[in-house]
Amino acid sequence: MKNVLLLLLLWTLSACNTEAKQSNNAKPTNTQNSHTNPHTTMNQSTEQPIDSCVLAGGCFWCLDAVYRQMQGIINVESGYSNGQIKNPTYREVCSGRTGHAEVAKIYFNPTLTSYQQILEVFWRIHNPTTLNRQGNDIGTQYRSGIYFMNEEQERIAKASKQAVEESGLWAADGKVVTEILPLNNYWPAEDYHQDYFANNPENQYCVYVVSEKVEKFKKTFSELLKSK
């Protein structure tokens, strides 16, 4: 009986099976493929320099919540990328049949942080050795990936991955399986996924999974936290 209860708890803590994540499939009003316009979701009146990058490391709620804590980050948008269909819904992506990865599109001020620094955080807040899986979230949509937008991002990403492999950071867990590919497409996720951790603090997945990653970031990268 105890084993059954444990399995049930682990199942409910999978992002695909949280009630809140299944409760709404409305697409955001902006369904443009924002790969063609990296500033689609930003306030066009801002005067600060803006760059962007796209990362996949399990459930996008986790990456979203972590990077919102980091200095130099202007905004984070949860979305889907590198799949086979246009403008997918969450349910379609969660089926594992669209080829899309859950991603975070990170908008940052390059005078306050760098792509390299963002990747240094990336390698430590998820496990890059588990193929198509993060914890209890299993499927190709939860793969580890870096999707570059230009040659410079490609160069930095590959050098960063090599540095992690040579450092032995994840050696005890196995080989780093993170894919590094061009960003072929990107679609913003449904509105209710955006800034999910802050908007749903009592959700069990947020309590037991997302919060753990946020706390790990705060302890490991305390010097990179946004000032209050």
Side-chain angles (χ1 to χ4, degrees):
M1 185 62 178
K2 289 183 178 179
N3 290 337
V4 173
L5 292 175
L6 177 59
L7 289 173
L8 181 59
L9 175 61
L10 292 175
W11 183 81
T12 58
L13 289 180
S14 168
C16 268
N17 296 312
T18 56
E19 181 178 355
K21 215 174 182 187
Q22 292 179 326
S23 64
N24 190 332
N25 272 319
K27 291 298 293 180
T29 54
N30 173 23
T31 57
Q32 176 183 356
N33 182 338
S34 57
H35 174 42
T36 61
N37 179 3
H39 301 161
T40 298
T41 63
M42 301 307 302
N43 184 343
Q44 297 301 311
S45 65
T46 182
E47 296 180 357
Q48 61 183 322
I50 300 174
D51 203 347
S52 60
C53 61
V54 174
L55 305 175
C59 176
F60 45 27
W61 293 348
C62 296
L63 292 183
D64 176 285
V66 167
Y67 282 109
R68 286 178 185 272
Q69 306 288 324
M70 184 176 174
Q71 66 182 12
I73 303 302
I74 301 168
N75 192 29
V76 184
E77 182 180 69
S78 293
Y80 314 113
S81 73
N82 283 48
Q84 287 86 49
I85 69 173
K86 295 182 178 180
N87 197 28
T89 66
Y90 171 73
R91 287 184 185 272
E92 289 172 329
V93 172
C94 205
S95 73
R97 294 191 293 269
T98 71
H100 287 280
E102 288 193 16
V103 299
K105 188 167 189 179
I106 302 163
Y107 297 88
F108 62 98
N109 183 332
T111 67
L112 299 178
T113 190
S114 66
Y115 183 50
Q116 173 66 42
Q117 198 164 55
I118 289 170
L119 291 180
E120 289 175 5
V121 172
F122 172 74
W123 294 120
R124 288 165 175 78
I125 60 172
H126 85 296
N127 187 336
T129 70
T130 52
L131 184 64
N132 299 329
R133 177 174 187 167
Q134 286 296 306
N136 296 312
D137 295 326
I138 302 172
T140 56
Q141 68 271 29
Y142 298 118
R143 64 187 180 267
S144 176
I146 300 173
Y147 304 111
F148 57 85
M149 299 182 181
N150 51 54
E151 292 182 357
E152 179 68 2
Q153 284 193 354
E154 178 183 14
R155 181 189 66 78
I156 293 172
K158 289 181 176 179
S160 182
K161 180 180 179 180
Q162 181 178 348
V164 167
E165 292 172 329
E166 293 176 351
S167 73
L169 177 65
W170 291 98
D173 294 87
K175 181 181 178 181
V176 173
V177 296
T178 305
E179 62 182 19
I180 299 177
L181 297 170
L183 181 65
N184 289 330
N185 51 63
Y186 170 82
W187 305 94
E190 294 85 344
D191 288 341
Y192 74 99
H193 286 300
Q194 310 304 331
D195 203 7
Y196 192 89
F197 181 59
N199 293 324
N200 300 271
E202 296 181 357
N203 176 277
Q204 292 300 291
Y205 188 87
C206 291
V207 171
Y208 291 105
V209 181
V210 185
S211 62
E212 181 178 326
K213 291 183 180 290
V214 171
E215 289 307 311
K216 181 178 182 180
F217 167 74
K218 289 180 177 180
K219 291 178 181 178
T220 307
F221 297 98
S222 57
E223 74 282 4
L224 298 183
L225 286 171
K226 287 182 177 178
S227 57
K228 297 293 184 180

